[in-house]
Amino acid sequence: MTTNPAPPAWAAWLERRQVLLCLGAIALGAALGLTIPGSPAAAVAITPILGLLLFATFLAVPLADLARGFRDTRFLLTLCVVDFVVAPLLVFGLSRFVADSDALLIGLLLVLLTPCVDYVIVFAGLAGGSSARLLAATPVLMIAQLLLLPVYLTLFGGPTLVALVDPAPFVEAFVFLILLPLLTATVVQLAARRSRVAVALMSIMQTALVPLMLATLLVVVASQIRGVVGQVGALLVVLPLFIVFIVVMVPVGALAARVARLDVPGARAVTFSGVTRNSLVVLPLALALPAHLALAPIVVVTQTLVELLGLAVLVRLVPRLIRSRERR
């Protein structure tokens, strides 16, 4: 494949300051969402912007690395243990604090029981994690959570919660946020072996990676911040639970990776996967719930805001916790 030219100086400047810029995008999104009438309509831009972000991410992962990542059974097994065994145990404990409120309970369960399959790839890559192996694991994570979510909802919340959830948004998100960007990126990578246009497109998307990340954060926050602020009193009980989840899952992921003897990129990827939840995918699920559970989507968005702030910090923190000297 033709080698991409070096990114321009401004793109390198953005990458070096990505954490501060992410925090700035969150703050700007909150300001716009609270001051501009009609800002919740920005939600329609989330899927296309996130799709472009993932397309740029997939383009940056060589096909050979993707194939090797899918064959890494130790990494996949560690990922599944962290996301579908350890995380649910923690979620069960946390969910007991909101068990008396159906809306808070289903919102918390929906978002914390589903590991992220989209922007976790970007954040893990920014921290030196293996984007290729996370990308290869996305079908496994998506299918597993589709199968296990009804089971966990039944165990943690009762069978009535399962009957309220429509799985269609999961399938739609997988097609438009994972499958379509991945197939398009594959075609472009193959075409780049002979086409200068494809090479130029890869270069453009490489430089657009950080701006697309900032645009995603801004749009998500701007479109949802009013709902969060309007229900802040009811959300005070779940806010610390989301913080505890992040604080606990960081060392859990790092420890699991150490026990599995993963290399540093793999260990960082597992840690980010344990922390990062599928909020943008489950949000349509929450929005489709009956009116008496209208608080559930706001719970999901609250977790998104907490998580985005946490990820902006973890991009710098995780490389310090999981260093190259830990290689075996």
Side-chain angles (χ1 to χ4, degrees), residues 27-70:
L28 180 58
L32 293 175
L34 292 172
T35 58
I36 298 179
S39 55
V44 299
I46 293 176
T47 296
I49 292 178
L50 185 58
L52 280 174
L53 173 63
L54 292 170
F55 172 60
T57 302
F58 298 161
L59 271 182
V61 179
L63 294 175
D65 289 351
L66 178 59
R68 285 194 296 269
F70 193 73

Side-chain angles (χ1 to χ4, degrees), residues 2-190:
T2 305
T3 303
N4 287 341
W10 64 265
W13 183 90
L14 289 178
E15 187 170 348
R16 288 194 302 270
R17 291 160 176 82
Q18 57 196 313
V19 174
L20 288 177
L21 291 171
C22 285
L23 294 174
I26 293 171
L28 180 58
L32 293 175
L34 292 172
T35 58
I36 298 179
S39 55
V44 299
I46 293 176
T47 296
I49 292 178
L50 185 58
L52 280 174
L53 173 63
L54 292 170
F55 172 60
T57 302
F58 298 161
L59 271 182
V61 179
L63 294 175
D65 289 351
L66 178 59
R68 285 194 296 269
F70 193 73
R71 293 194 298 267
D72 191 344
T73 54
R74 182 185 298 181
F75 173 82
L76 288 175
L77 180 60
T78 306
L79 204 62
C80 288
V81 169
V82 169
D83 281 325
F84 299 117
V85 179
V86 181
L89 291 175
L90 175 59
V91 173
F92 174 75
L94 296 176
S95 68
R96 297 310 88 193
F97 291 94
V98 294
D100 58 343
S101 169
D102 286 345
L104 294 179
L105 178 61
I106 194 170
L108 181 141
L109 292 178
L110 280 176
V111 71
L112 291 188
L113 288 172
T114 50
C116 185
V117 294
D118 37 60
Y119 62 63
V120 63
I121 300 169
V122 180
F123 276 104
L126 294 176
S130 176
S131 297
R133 279 180 278 185
L134 274 180
L135 175 56
T138 54
V140 176
L141 293 177
M142 198 70 178
I143 293 171
Q145 62 189 266
L146 274 170
L147 297 175
L148 292 175
L149 183 60
V151 176
Y152 286 132
L153 286 177
T154 302
L155 291 175
F156 299 169
T160 55
L161 287 183
V162 181
L164 296 174
V165 179
D166 179 9
F170 261 109
V171 178
E172 181 180 343
F174 180 73
V175 171
F176 289 103
L177 294 180
I178 302 298
L179 191 58
L180 186 58
L182 176 57
L183 291 176
T184 307
T186 301
V187 171
V188 173
Q189 284 197 27
L190 292 174

